[in-house]
Amino acid sequence: MAPSTRRNSVLAKKIATLQLRLAPLVPLPSGPPHPSFPKSLMTFHLLTEDELDSIASYYHQSTPSIWSNHYPSNMNWDKEFLAKPPPPPSPTTPASKARRHSRRLSQEEQVWIEDLMKTVEDLQNPIVQSQPEDPSSSRTSNQYASLTEKERIRIKRRKVGKFIGLVGMETPVEEIAGRIQASLDRAVERSREELRRNEEVMLRRRKAA
């Protein structure tokens, strides 16, 4: 078989995989599937972050309820860890107004295309990159402390994928460790901030006495 024929065969097989139909999942206690529930593996990889968030909420994973733990799987959705950062202020310069009417792809569309192409290249690639193997570097740097938009969406997509029964969507061990460390760091920072505020209050009281 010629190399070009083999490449075409592999590509056709991967495209066929992306066209696999997915069984819909109904919410508890009853109701229709989520309106954006992916009908195929391809549409799963095209879900936007808002749709992923909405699916997690619809199936009681980001909004805890009595039904959250009654599904076949659980997303373990950490709302603080996966929260979107506040949007930056919108520029109002003439150049920015002109860009709004341009035909460039939006950030979400670029993420869709990148994720889809990555899936076509190799469906077995991990969703999230592993941390460095050097123990000393992992102690001083936590890549999960500040997720990029792409990393955050990939984690959400993997969680939704595992929830609906897709294979290869297990949570990497380093992500669990990184998420715990990030949570501890946030708790320490909040404690420091509270201590600082208390010290300021005590200082003002002393001055007023």
Side-chain angles (χ1 to χ4, degrees):
M1 183 181 293
S4 60
T5 304
R6 286 198 298 269
R7 285 196 297 270
N8 291 338
S9 176
V10 171
L11 179 60
K13 185 176 180 180
K14 291 183 177 180
I15 292 176
T17 301
L18 288 172
Q19 293 174 338
L20 289 175
R21 307 292 292 179
L22 301 179
L25 180 67
V26 297
L28 295 175
S30 63
H34 188 278
S36 299
F37 192 93
K39 294 180 172 59
S40 68
L41 190 57
M42 179 176 289
T43 54
F44 164 75
H45 283 283
L46 294 177
L47 289 172
T48 67
E49 183 171 17
D50 287 340
E51 289 172 333
L52 293 167
D53 289 341
S54 180
I55 289 174
S57 175
Y58 189 76
Y59 292 101
H60 313 101
Q61 298 302 300
S62 61
T63 51
S65 77
I66 60 173
W67 305 108
S68 298
N69 296 320
H70 289 271
Y71 290 92
S73 182
N74 191 290
M75 292 188 193
N76 293 318
W77 195 276
D78 187 333
K79 293 188 72 171
E80 187 174 13
F81 176 66
L82 297 173
K84 291 182 182 179
S90 301
T92 56
T93 62
S96 65
K97 292 180 180 179
R99 284 196 296 270
R100 293 176 189 173
H101 300 285
S102 65
R103 296 184 179 180
R104 294 178 59 185
L105 293 176
S106 68
Q107 182 66 29
E108 285 186 349
E109 290 171 333
Q110 290 177 2
V111 171
W112 292 353
I113 293 175
E114 289 174 3
D115 284 338
L116 182 59
M117 293 305 296
K118 185 175 180 65
T119 302
V120 173
E121 289 173 5
D122 189 354
L123 291 173
Q124 300 303 319
N125 278 349
I127 299 297
V128 181
Q129 294 180 349
S130 299
Q131 286 184 309
E133 295 182 1
D134 183 4
S136 61
S137 63
S138 63
R139 292 193 193 100
T140 58
S141 176
N142 179 9
Q143 74 179 86
Y144 297 98
S146 180
L147 297 173
T148 66
E149 180 183 24
K150 187 173 182 179
E151 289 169 341
R152 187 177 67 249
I153 293 174
R154 284 186 174 179
I155 291 176
K156 291 180 178 181
R157 195 184 312 280
R158 178 181 48 71
K159 287 181 176 294
V160 171
K162 181 181 179 181
F163 181 75
I164 65 177
L166 298 181
V167 298
M169 299 288 171
E170 290 76 14
T171 303
V173 175
E174 59 268 23
E175 180 192 316
I176 298 175
R179 190 175 65 190
I180 293 174
Q181 184 61 52
S183 178
L184 291 173
D185 291 342
R186 290 194 299 267
V188 170
E189 185 61 30
R190 284 194 294 265
S191 297
R192 288 175 177 171
E193 181 63 21
E194 184 177 357
L195 179 60
R196 185 187 63 80
R197 288 196 299 266
N198 291 338
E199 289 176 347
E200 290 178 352
V201 171
M202 294 298 295
L203 182 60
R204 286 196 296 268
R205 288 178 178 176
R206 289 173 184 172
K207 289 181 178 180

